[in-house]
């Protein structure tokens, strides 16, 4: 068996069955970063990448395995969220290509701090936590991890939140991506 055939076999076993989950996780991350950009411009986008990176204009500081500087020279920076990147971002510095930073998807975002006591009083503890955990978008599996409950419990809570107009749900193959609606965002931020 040659290397290409081995890689195809590995992909079919280890990656392809999880493709919908991976696509949903990346879509949720892209949605979150678009929102950061829309609400806060480039500053908001770059500040939203904390704690992986620290935006101290005009420097973006990234913890990296080796000490080096990457000067953009007006070329911009391509940010690529990765489901498989772990621990620290990876800079691709081919001078013939745009500067690129591949960064790990934040599986444990700032949702926990978003849940307030007034929201808990209105929705109940678990449902309020589920709503806060959806911030930026999440799959049912991601929500179950974030909230430390079963996917079945998450499905019941997301059904109620969707029926109330606080979230919307989009199917990507076998995976389901939950996104907050403007009403849900207003409810979440009003209690802060």
């Amino acid at each position: 068996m040659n290397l290409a055939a081995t890689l195809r076999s590995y992909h079919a076993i280890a990656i392809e069955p999880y493709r919908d989950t991976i696509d949903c996780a990346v879509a949720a991350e892209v949605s979150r970063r678009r929102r950061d950009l829309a609400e806060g411009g480039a500053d908001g986008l770059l500040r939203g990448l904390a704690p992986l990176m620290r935006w101290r204009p005009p420097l973006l500081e990234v913890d990296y395995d080796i000490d080096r500087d990457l000067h953009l020279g007006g070329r911009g920076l391509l940010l690529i969220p990765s489901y498989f990147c772990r621990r620290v971002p990876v800079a691709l510095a081919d001078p013939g290509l745009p500067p690129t930073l591949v960064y790990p998807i934040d599986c444990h975002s700032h949702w926990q701090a978003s849940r307030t006591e007034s929201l808990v009083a209105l929705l109940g503890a678990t449902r309020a936590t589920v709503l806060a955990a959806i911030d930026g978008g999440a799959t049912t599996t991601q929500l179950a991890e974030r909230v430390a409950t079963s996917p079945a419990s998450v499905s019941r809570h997301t059904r109620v939140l969707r029926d109330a107009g606080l979230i919307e749900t989009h199917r990507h193959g076998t995976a389901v991506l939950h996104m907050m609606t403007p009403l849900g965002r207003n409810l979440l931020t009003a209690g802060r």
Side-chain angles (χ1 to χ4, degrees):
M1 186 179 259
N2 65 26
L3 179 60
T6 302
L7 289 174
R8 277 192 294 278
S9 295
Y10 176 79
H11 181 272
I13 294 167
I15 306 294
E16 194 57 41
Y18 307 100
R19 188 65 191 204
D20 292 334
T21 300
I22 294 166
D23 289 347
C24 277
V26 171
E29 176 67 14
V30 169
S31 175
R32 180 178 176 194
R33 299 308 168 197
R34 279 186 183 145
R35 188 190 75 231
D36 289 347
L37 182 63
E39 292 176 359
D43 279 342
L45 171 67
L46 295 174
R47 287 187 203 293
L49 293 168
L52 284 174
M53 300 169 235
R54 290 160 306 286
W55 174 235
R56 294 185 178 130
L59 298 175
L60 180 62
E61 297 175 352
V62 179
D63 293 326
Y64 206 65
D65 291 335
I66 58 172
D67 189 20
R68 72 177 195 183
D69 292 334
L70 175 61
H71 298 278
L72 301 180
R75 295 179 291 162
L77 179 64
L78 179 60
L79 297 171
I80 300 178
S82 172
Y83 190 84
F84 298 101
C85 185
R86 292 290 179 249
R87 205 172 53 79
V88 297
V90 176
L92 308 178
D94 181 336
L97 299 172
T100 302
L101 190 63
V102 179
Y103 67 94
I105 291 175
D106 181 12
C107 296
H108 304 288
S109 68
H110 61 285
W111 64 267
Q112 203 165 18
S114 299
R115 191 190 94 170
T116 63
E117 292 313 309
S118 59
L119 193 59
V120 169
L122 179 65
L123 299 176
T126 305
R127 195 162 294 139
T129 304
V130 169
L131 180 63
I134 290 173
D135 195 11
T139 65
T140 301
T141 302
Q142 289 171 325
L143 289 173
E145 285 178 14
R146 293 177 185 179
V147 179
T149 191
S150 70
S153 174
V154 166
S155 292
R156 285 191 300 275
H157 290 295
T158 54
R159 185 178 319 112
V160 172
L161 294 169
R162 186 175 42 257
D163 290 348
L166 301 176
I167 68 168
E168 54 188 30
T169 301
H170 305 280
R171 182 166 291 284
H172 290 272
T174 59
V176 173
L177 177 64
H178 305 285
M179 302 292 295
M180 204 169 307
T181 64
L183 178 61
R185 176 151 321 286
N186 288 341
L187 181 62
L188 188 63
T189 57
R192 291 182 188 156

